[in-house]
Amino acid sequence: VNSVSFSADGDTLASSSDDQTIRIWTKKDDGWAPGGVLTGHTSTIRSVSFAPQGRILASGSDDQSVRLWNVDDPDNPHAVGDSIVPAGTVRWRVVYGASPDVLLAAGEGGAVRMLDLNIEHARDRVCRATGGELLEPTWAKYLTDEKFQSPCT
């Protein structure tokens, strides 16, 4: 086990390890019960961090990716899109700030990224980048949990 993180309410625990998995645990009266297992990284997962509200988990890996996971249902957690950092950068460690909209990712060679996860800011970036024409296949690739709606109208 390389890293552990508790949800804000203390009822859910996530652990990451060299076997490229994240394991979710839920608090029970008699201890901790295993929940879902997250897969998708292709190398050692160095760190996990729950967002302050406890629904989203971030992970940083030696596969040079930072990923987000929905853990609303600890028995059936799932990925929220692909890596949120460019491919081929560095190996990452992650931690949320006091706000659920700020995720810090730090890597080798002094690399530090402050990732803005605010949905309104993301909408503005998407509309600028696509010229206001975000199509449904692109939406589905990155926003797997959300029904399609054009953000630029």
Side-chain angles (χ1 to χ4, degrees):
V1 173
N2 293 318
S3 175
V4 295
S5 180
F6 284 95
S7 61
D9 65 8
D11 289 339
T12 307
L13 171 71
S15 64
S16 67
S17 64
D18 290 344
D19 71 358
Q20 304 170 13
T21 65
I22 299 167
R23 297 186 185 281
I24 306 298
W25 306 83
T26 54
K27 191 175 184 180
K28 303 291 182 192
D29 290 337
D30 59 346
W32 290 90
V37 176
L38 293 162
T39 60
H41 282 291
T42 59
S43 189
T44 296
I45 303 168
R46 293 288 170 196
S47 65
V48 288
S49 180
F50 271 102
Q53 90 288 9
R55 174 180 168 250
I56 300 295
L57 180 73
S59 60
S61 171
D62 283 0
D63 66 8
Q64 303 180 345
S65 69
V66 172
R67 299 195 63 181
L68 299 177
W69 311 88
N70 182 316
V71 292
D72 259 347
D73 177 356
D75 290 326
N76 297 294
H78 59 276
V80 179
D82 294 323
S83 180
I84 59 173
V85 296
T89 48
V90 298
R91 292 179 262 194
W92 296 102
R93 290 181 179 15
V94 294
V95 65
Y96 273 94
S99 163
D101 294 337
V102 176
L103 178 66
L104 298 174
E108 57 201 11
V112 177
R113 287 188 183 226
M114 185 173 81
L115 303 165
D116 179 358
L117 304 179
N118 178 286
I119 193 72
E120 296 301 321
H121 298 166
R123 180 187 340 258
D124 293 344
R125 289 189 303 268
V126 165
C127 293
R128 281 193 308 273
T130 64
E133 295 185 25
L134 178 65
L135 302 177
E136 193 165 353
T138 303
W139 175 281
K141 179 178 178 183
Y142 296 103
L143 299 166
T144 56
D145 289 349
E146 303 293 330
K147 182 178 175 191
F148 175 73
Q149 56 183 340
S150 178
C152 306
T153 56

